[in-house]
Amino acid sequence: MDNIFTPLAVSALVSIGLGYPAMLFARRFRLIDVPGSAPHKAHAHPTPLAGGLLLASTFAVAAIVFRHLLTRDIFVVLAGSAVIFTFGLWDDLKG
C-alpha cells in the first residue's frame, strides 16, 4: 500500500458500493427532498438526501482501512466532518 493512489481508488470503490444502499436508507427513513416544497426547489422528481450519509460512511471506511496513514491533522478534519454530518442529518430529519 505504498502507492499514493491506493486510498483514492479504495475510497472511490467504497463510495460506488455504498451509493445504492445510502439511497435506500434515505428512502426508508423518508429523507427525501420533494420538488416544490420550497421556492428554490426546482428539481422535477423526489430526490433522496443521501449524499452526506454516503460521504461520511466513505470517510469512516477509509479512515479504518488506512488508519496507519492518519495524522493528527487528518483526524481533526475527520472529527470536524463528523460534527457537520451530525448536524446535517439532524436538519434533514427535522425538516
Side-chain angles (χ1 to χ4, degrees):
M1 287 202 199
D2 295 323
N3 188 345
I4 193 169
F5 294 107
T6 302
L8 176 65
V10 169
S11 296
L13 290 173
V14 167
S15 179
I16 290 168
L18 292 178
Y20 188 71
M23 184 179 64
L24 292 177
F25 178 86
R27 286 186 177 159
R28 168 98 167 93
F29 290 96
R30 299 180 193 260
L31 298 172
I32 304 292
D33 195 9
V34 179
S37 61
H40 67 280
K41 306 212 178 188
H43 50 280
H45 304 286
T47 305
L49 299 171
L53 176 63
L54 178 60
L55 189 61
S57 58
T58 301
F59 279 172
V61 169
I64 292 167
V65 172
F66 298 104
R67 63 185 169 272
H68 63 282
L69 297 176
L70 287 179
T71 63
R72 184 178 184 277
D73 293 338
I74 293 172
F75 183 76
V76 168
V77 170
L78 289 174
S81 298
V83 171
I84 292 169
F85 166 73
T86 301
F87 280 106
L89 184 61
W90 176 73
D91 180 56
D92 289 343
L93 288 170
K94 294 296 178 184

